[in-house]
Amino acid sequence: MAFALFHNTRAHSSLSPGWTTHKFFNPDEDTLKPPASLARLNPPILNPAQEGSFARHTLLKRLPDTATRVLRDNEATLPQDAKDSLLSLSEEVPNVPLRTPDAVEGGATTDIKHFNQEWDRWTRERASGNWTTALPLISTEMYYYRRILDATKYFLPKDARHLMDPFESQKKSSLASALASKAFLEAADKHLYALEHGPLAQPNLQALFLTLVHASLWSNQGDLALAPSDVSNVQMATQICTSASSKLLVDDTAAAFDLLLRRGAEAGAAKGVERVDIINDNSGVELLCDLVLADFLLAHHLAQAVRLHVKGEPLFVSDAMPKDVSSHLEALSLPPAPAPLQALAQRLRQGIEQGRLQVQSHMFWTAPRLFWEMPLSLASELSQAALVVVKGDANYRRLVGDRQWDWLTPLPEVIGDWFPSSALVLRTFKAEIAVGLREGQAAAAAEADPEWLTNGKFASIQFVPKLEAQASN
């Protein structure tokens, strides 16, 4: 089996138009460039060496807890050498020097070579330090998850656990919880009601767009990686509130809707924009809400196509992969899912068959790079979308360089001169980073909740239009 296909074979056997093959890039390929504001403002990078910080808690507690949870959840199926490797990995943090992840086997294909070269490059650049000095932290976290895959033999073709997701038991429990969650069911009900009683006048269409974007945002609270040692984390979907307006510090949803209307009118014949891309984050309730949003965009002709960018291999416990899109559609299409949800699943599957709903994984999304280190080939693909929806805290951290910019720094000043398309950035706060706030908001949030930056209860929806200079290139 070709390496470029193995990520997708469990998702769709025939790789119909909507299921694209997994893509790779050459680590030596030219990339995007950092923002001009980086050299001028020089914000500090998130530092896990800082005592008492959430970044340090992530490195010393949350990452080892993740390996411990994998060991516990897979106790019955993991061989002893895999168990030993997970225990050893937990003990490496923070003082043991980083080592290069295991080379993926399978012959001398260019894809495998590039995949191995990327991790070798990143590790060698940090060989003189340890876990605390290996920065940016977001990349080190991704490295830890790659090491979990090595420990569980994910990439080893001859092993019984080859391509077996070590987080699958958590994902299954989380999906069961998500299907019954108020956050998903309310979003789906409002969307399906509008389809049955449409067409919608523009104000109602905009209101529904806002509702579904908010559901896509707040459903990120179902992230399984925030508290990996908490066995009840798989029930987080039932606790999500999608109307926490006082904790939504920035809401640019209307600006994104205006862009879709304007660009759609330019396309003519009420076809909608050529494509909207969603850089997905978590499976479970968040992916379900993302699928509802995608169906809304297609059904109301706001977009001719929607492309979901998912991970090629397991990352951050619950991050969505092609197989998760498949499993979520299957769960929606079968009893006990009610008939309207089964119809939703059927429509989404038809969209995949027709190529209108596209599911794509790419090596970059799990590579230990910041977004401004994106290869130009992928940036060129994103530039073809009228709007790119960037989801989740990890993607946000990669977007802003994992740096602690001044809270009042406008997000366009951080990403506007290099991001390849107009962006709608959805994030619940789970790291000591915030950009684009108004005067006094940070102080008020801290007074209301001292953990506002890290507990996922505060959020932002930020729109950054594509610069005209970029659009003309």
Side-chain angles (χ1 to χ4, degrees):
M1 181 187 305
F3 191 62
L5 295 179
F6 73 56
H7 297 77
N8 298 73
T9 52
R10 295 188 178 185
H12 196 281
S13 58
S14 62
L15 288 174
S16 62
W19 293 107
T20 60
T21 59
H22 183 74
K23 294 188 176 183
F24 293 81
F25 70 92
N26 186 335
D28 294 328
E29 180 182 338
D30 288 341
T31 70
L32 296 171
K33 303 300 181 186
S37 56
L38 180 63
R40 177 166 46 85
L41 299 177
N42 193 27
I45 197 163
L46 197 63
N47 187 1
Q50 183 179 345
E51 292 291 342
S53 66
F54 188 74
R56 188 161 182 79
H57 171 71
T58 292
L59 182 65
L60 300 185
K61 177 65 174 171
R62 291 174 62 217
L63 290 182
D65 279 356
T66 302
T68 302
R69 179 71 179 270
V70 169
L71 184 58
R72 182 173 64 220
D73 288 348
N74 298 275
E75 177 72 25
T77 58
L78 282 176
Q80 189 58 47
D81 61 339
K83 296 176 183 178
D84 293 341
S85 294
L86 287 169
L87 288 171
S88 176
L89 176 59
S90 298
E91 294 168 356
E92 287 185 24
V93 181
N95 296 319
V96 175
L98 277 64
R99 67 168 180 82
T100 303
D102 298 341
V104 173
E105 302 176 4
T109 69
T110 301
D111 288 341
I112 293 177
K113 179 181 177 181
H114 289 162
F115 187 77
N116 290 333
Q117 283 177 336
E118 173 66 6
W119 282 107
D120 181 66
R121 172 201 65 81
W122 184 86
T123 313
R124 279 189 292 103
E125 290 173 356
R126 291 152 182 82
S128 61
N130 58 27
W131 292 81
T132 304
T133 60
L135 301 173
L137 176 61
I138 186 62
S139 297
T140 306
E141 293 175 50
M142 298 172 79
Y143 166 83
Y144 191 92
Y145 278 86
R146 169 59 208 274
R147 292 284 306 281
I148 287 178
L149 297 185
D150 287 347
T152 59
K153 316 299 183 185
Y154 183 85
F155 290 110
L156 197 60
K158 297 180 181 179
D159 194 90
R161 295 193 60 83
H162 180 48
L163 302 185
M164 293 184 65
D165 189 340
F167 311 111
E168 187 65 22
S169 64
Q170 291 186 62
K171 284 184 173 181
K172 285 183 177 179
S173 296
S174 177
L175 176 56
S177 172
L179 289 166
S181 69
K182 181 179 178 181
F184 163 62
L185 292 176
E186 284 189 349
D189 285 348
K190 290 177 180 179
H191 167 53
L192 296 172
Y193 180 87
L195 284 182
E196 184 179 351
H197 296 85
L200 295 178
Q202 182 175 317
N204 294 332
L205 188 66
Q206 179 172 352
L208 183 54
F209 177 72
L210 183 145
T211 295
L212 299 184
V213 168
H214 283 205
S216 181
L217 165 74
W218 291 115
S219 59
N220 179 261
Q221 292 178 332
D223 180 5
L224 299 178
L226 186 59
S229 63
D230 183 0
V231 294
S232 67
N233 65 348
V234 295
Q235 301 297 323
M236 284 295 295
T238 62
Q239 303 172 31
I240 293 170
C241 175
T242 60
S243 58
S245 57
S246 65
K247 296 181 178 180
L248 181 56
L249 302 184
V250 182
D251 187 0
D252 294 336
T253 309
F257 183 78
D258 290 343
L259 171 78
L260 293 178
L261 286 187
R262 186 174 70 254
R263 292 285 302 274
E266 293 170 0
K271 292 181 178 179
V273 300
E274 185 172 343
R275 202 178 78 219
V276 170
D277 285 21
I278 303 176
I279 302 176
N280 298 90
D281 193 14
N282 295 290
S283 57
V285 64
E286 184 172 2
L287 180 56
L288 290 176
C289 288
D290 291 347
L291 290 170
V292 172
L293 177 60
D295 191 60
F296 165 84
L297 293 169
L298 294 170
H300 292 280
H301 305 292
L302 290 171
Q304 298 174 48
V306 174
R307 178 173 293 177
L308 307 181
H309 295 271
V310 295
K311 305 298 194 300
E313 56 265 6
L315 181 71
F316 294 124
V317 185
S318 50
D319 277 18
M321 299 169 58
K323 71 174 180 63
D324 299 315
V325 177
S326 181
S327 68
H328 287 46
L329 290 177
E330 182 176 6
L332 289 174
S333 66
L334 299 172
L341 291 184
Q342 293 185 41
L344 169 66
Q346 178 62 24
R347 191 163 54 250
L348 288 167
R349 282 176 162 170
Q350 288 175 348
I352 291 174
E353 295 294 336
Q354 297 163 357
R356 299 177 67 229
L357 178 61
Q358 303 163 12
V359 184
Q360 178 177 297
S361 58
H362 193 289
M363 172 179 154
F364 175 78
W365 303 125
T366 57
R369 295 189 178 211
L370 303 173
F371 271 25
W372 59 58
E373 298 171 316
M374 182 184 298
L376 293 183
S377 55
L378 176 57
S380 177
E381 289 187 30
L382 294 179
S383 71
Q384 297 168 22
L387 179 69
V388 176
V389 182
V390 183
K391 302 208 59 201
D393 188 77
N395 283 329
Y396 194 94
R397 290 170 59 190
R398 296 175 74 184
L399 195 65
V400 303
D402 216 24
R403 290 179 177 266
Q404 295 176 305
W405 301 79
D406 185 287
W407 289 330
L408 302 182
T409 305
L411 186 59
E413 192 167 345
V414 180
I415 74 168
D417 61 352
W418 61 267
F419 195 77
S421 181
S422 295
L424 185 65
V425 186
L426 280 57
R427 180 219 183 188
T428 60
F429 294 9
K430 299 172 188 173
E432 294 142 323
I433 289 173
V435 178
L437 302 186
R438 297 189 304 274
E439 187 74 46
Q441 278 190 309
E447 184 177 357
D449 186 346
E451 297 180 346
W452 70 283
L453 276 172
T454 59
N455 61 15
K457 296 181 180 180
F458 285 74
S460 61
I461 300 174
Q462 296 168 293
F463 175 71
V464 179
K466 186 175 183 177
L467 292 180
E468 289 303 319
Q470 289 176 272
S472 62
N473 288 340

